Amino acid sequence: MTSNINDIRTIGVIGAGAWGTALASVTRRAGRAVLLWAHEAEVAAAINKDHENPLFLPDVSLDPGIAATADLAAAGEADALLLVPPAQHLRAVTGALAPSLPDGTPIVLCAKGVEQETGRLMSEVVAETLPGRPVAVLSGPTFAAEVARDLPTAVTVAAADPVLGRRLVEAIGTPHFRPYLSDDPVGAEIGGAVKNVIAIACGILIGRRLGDNARAALITRGLAEMVRLGLAKGAREATLMGLSGLGDLTLTCSGPQSRNLSLGIALGEGRPLADILDGRRSVAEGVFTAASVTQLAERLGVDMPIAAAVNAILHRGADINETIAGLLARPFRAEATERGAD
């Protein structure tokens, strides 16, 4: 495999939500030809005609060189693909791509989550549905609107194959979108998935007006849970202390643009989950990932009390005040981040 970036001239972005549209803008700025696949034909039409995506990324002007399509096979003809569907739809999208996608097409996973039905990481889903394709993970602290507006951003591009990683970094990097190379894709995936669950927990604390001390403690102990799960899956702790772990966790638990944080705030203020979701078009991945991360942790013997508490509130009807009281009543322990009980 050559390290010449000239073999990545065209990039297909699969998924025209806010993050997919922002990544299309990034790759266009990097000088690539971009074809953005939208599930909704009206989204593709708006991008082609008006150079904007009012449904998912309003008030952001798009480069006229970004082409959009509702034809998945057409987008799959690019030299490399960025996969950006909601995590729970990745299997369906990759299954539809499989019959026409060339074996050597590099796949970059940009969806953050764990599959609810199977507990699989996104890379494990792709290994089943698109076997043999070279795979990398793009993750890090990113709000789509800021990326689309070309505000400075740093991310992790993680690939087991360092040559593939360098090709991708050189193909999509710009002065304001800085990819840092990693060879730990599992760590990048775990960080991107778990941070959404912790962000919901932070939002609940904000909604309950429990103070900044509690939020800081929760972020720190949430990071400990993230590290334990990552180590159990074979990730490195250093990865989870980087952009795709601590960096993404900090942003998602602090920025008002965070869909997961805002959902948690609404829950903490007493709004029913169904009402919150009914009023949203965009996906808060942590709602689904809370269940799958909790199940994965149980299977691996990893104690994740914060994730389990969020799952209980979201999916088991647990009372928020009683759940918080249960966390606060846990035994005092030594501070540690290694695998095992907290």
Side-chain angles (χ1 to χ4, degrees), residues 24-337:
S25 295
V26 165
T27 51
R28 182 62 186 152
R29 290 188 197 110
R32 310 300 136 203
V34 181
L35 186 58
L36 174 61
W37 175 77
H39 177 70
E40 301 87 353
E42 64 271 22
V43 171
I47 292 170
N48 290 329
K49 179 177 180 291
D50 301 320
H51 312 301
E52 60 181 26
N53 185 347
L55 203 59
F56 293 107
L57 195 63
D59 304 320
V60 175
S61 297
L62 303 178
D63 189 308
I66 296 173
T69 181
D71 183 348
L72 184 60
E77 295 175 359
D79 297 326
L81 294 186
L82 307 186
L83 298 188
V84 208
Q88 304 309 318
H89 296 282
L90 181 69
R91 184 178 293 273
V93 170
T94 53
L97 272 170
S100 59
L101 190 68
D103 290 344
T105 302
I107 301 296
V108 185
L109 295 169
C110 308
K112 298 175 180 179
V114 177
E115 191 174 48
Q116 198 167 28
E117 294 298 321
T118 65
R120 301 276 199 276
L121 302 181
M122 299 294 94
S123 60
E124 294 169 331
V125 172
V126 167
E128 294 177 0
T129 56
L130 298 173
R133 273 75 171 191
V135 175
V137 174
L138 188 156
S139 192
T142 51
F143 284 146
E146 294 188 9
V147 172
R149 293 188 174 99
D150 202 25
L151 297 179
T153 300
V155 298
T156 297
V157 170
D161 178 356
V163 175
L164 171 64
R166 285 194 297 271
R167 290 171 66 209
L168 293 168
V169 164
E170 293 171 3
I172 67 174
T174 71
H176 282 187
F177 189 80
R178 298 183 54 79
Y180 285 76
L181 188 60
S182 168
D183 62 355
D184 182 14
V186 170
E189 287 192 87
I190 291 291
V194 174
K195 61 94 180 182
N196 286 327
V197 182
I198 305 304
I200 293 176
C202 277
I204 291 171
L205 292 188
I206 294 170
R208 279 293 197 264
R209 301 183 183 278
L210 294 180
D212 290 337
N213 291 350
R215 185 167 63 90
L218 191 144
I219 292 171
T220 307
R221 298 317 303 161
L223 176 63
E225 294 190 14
M226 178 190 293
V227 170
R228 288 199 297 272
L229 185 64
L231 292 175
K233 284 290 289 183
R236 293 196 302 273
E237 183 171 352
T239 304
L240 296 161
M241 295 300 173
L243 288 165
S244 59
L246 177 59
D248 206 359
L249 178 67
T250 301
L251 180 70
T252 311
C253 291
S254 305
Q257 297 178 59
S258 167
R259 294 190 292 265
N260 293 283
L261 183 70
S262 63
L263 182 141
I265 292 172
L267 283 172
E269 291 173 341
R271 291 184 58 194
L273 178 62
D275 290 352
I276 300 169
L277 296 178
D278 283 346
R280 294 180 170 217
R281 180 173 292 276
S282 57
V283 175
E285 293 283 9
V287 173
F288 304 101
T289 303
S292 50
V293 160
T294 301
Q295 292 165 6
L296 179 61
E298 290 172 352
R299 190 165 74 238
L300 295 174
V302 176
D303 191 32
M304 298 184 69
I306 298 171
V310 173
N311 181 52
I313 291 168
L314 291 173
H315 302 297
R316 298 180 181 175
D319 179 81
I320 290 178
N321 290 335
E322 291 178 2
T323 303
I324 292 172
L327 287 174
L328 294 175
R330 287 171 60 84
F332 300 122
R333 298 181 184 275
E335 184 176 27
T337 58

